[in-house]
Amino acid sequence: MRPEHAWFSEARLGMFVHWGLYSLAARHEWVMSREQIPPEDYERYLRYFEIDRYDPRSWARAAKVAGMRYAVLTTKHHDGFCLFDSALTDYSVMSTPYGRDALAKFVDAFRGEGLRVGFYHSLLDWHHPDFPVDAHHPLRDHPAVAELNASRSMERYRDYLHGQVRELLTGYGRIDYLFFDFSYPGRGYRDLPGKGASDWGSVELLAMVRELQPDIIVNDRLDLPGDLVTPEQYQPSGPMVGADGEPLVWEACQTLNGSWGYDRDNRDDKPVELLVRMLVDGVSKGGNLLLNVGPTGRGELDPSARQALAGLGEWMDRHGRSVHGAGPSVFEAPADCRYTQRGDRLYLHVFSWPFGHLHLPGLAGRVAYAQLLDDASEIGLEEIAPHQQAQNVRPGGQPAGTLTLRLPTRQPAVAVPVIELFLR
Ligand code: GLC
């Protein structure tokens, strides 16, 4: 990883924010495509985007309490609506009752709380008159789609795309992370081709981005290799490696309930314990977690999002040092556990609390002291000789090199208990 990107692996946890006109529809950020809503109909939402309770400072504080160190906001999603004041379009927050640059306010608020700032920017644009209709476009089943596309110019759209990226990277100060979304070369529909690097002008676009913001991190969705890979809505089963076998920097982007945009009737909320396990599992494999919230059409986090962030924050408050600046360990964790390591501190995250003992292969003689991380209470250590016979309350031997922990019967009252091992 490039030295100027070191903050990213130190951070490990960030907030993703999907917000825009679809927040008013409140039924998933792809509502325009899913329901094949023509642009001129979808535009009506502009009139209702009042966001009268928009207070990004409260978002930033909630992110900080949750232990998040950076945040990424949708500057424009696939529907083409821009949350910033662009000289290249009126299809923006400036044409809504709110009428101010919501992105600028977001950037100031998050920086004000000491978080790093990233921008999500959609390569797709279902509103732009030059964006050729394709597999994902709301007009994909239009009876005269070929005629529609005859007057559309990918070249003009490309200029628009590059122009707006230049606005974003010159109008808001230092930007730490750029999350483009997404490329689908070869994924045609009827006779409508997919879109990839040559459509977006990705090589030129990336060169411009690096010129304007040399220290920025760019993701892997330009149909070109990026500074990291971005698995989405699944947990990688191990550290992510490239074709050459080399480890890759990665960040899993995850939702609280399956939808990125506010989805009013969706009750598929992930419990806090699961969110913590996903975070820890990722760090144990060298990855970050970018956890999404979808603010409402009034501009605030809904109650279940606030609860999830508060619950995550309660755990991070006492266990943050097992995540921030931590990464994979050389040691292999026992079943239903994960190791994260930061220097000579090894953190054992226990996903299912066993009765009485936990045996750690390969750690005999390597640990000077152990404690529960939440209250610093000591955990007893012993090495059970391989040939020891089991008798009554005395357990049988463990394989050579095994360190055994003596655990309290009751699991600590935290989302995921952590045992901090001080390595010799
Ligand atoms: C997927 C979703 C898109 C979302 C993105 C976030 O591509 O379709 O709506 O913005 O993931 O990673």
Side-chain angles (χ1 to χ4, degrees), residues 16 18 29-30 77-78 120 179 181 221 232 253 260:
F16 211 171
H18 278 69
E29 76 283 357
W30 273 60
H77 203 263
H78 309 332
Y120 165 108
F179 192 113
D181 192 42
R221 298 190 180 190
E232 173 187 317
C253 49
W260 302 93

Side-chain angles (χ1 to χ4, degrees), residues 285-311:
K285 295 163 180 166
N288 281 31
L289 171 61
L290 186 64
L291 185 60
N292 185 75
V293 294
T296 69
R298 295 194 70 179
E300 60 188 343
L301 302 180
D302 65 277
S304 59
R306 287 204 298 270
Q307 274 160 22
L309 294 178

Side-chain angles (χ1 to χ4, degrees), residues 155-169:
E155 192 183 346
R156 283 197 300 265
Y157 175 70
R158 213 170 17 252
D159 291 345
Y160 174 78
L161 171 67
H162 291 218
Q164 286 205 314
V165 172
R166 180 176 290 279
E167 288 182 316
L168 291 169
L169 299 184

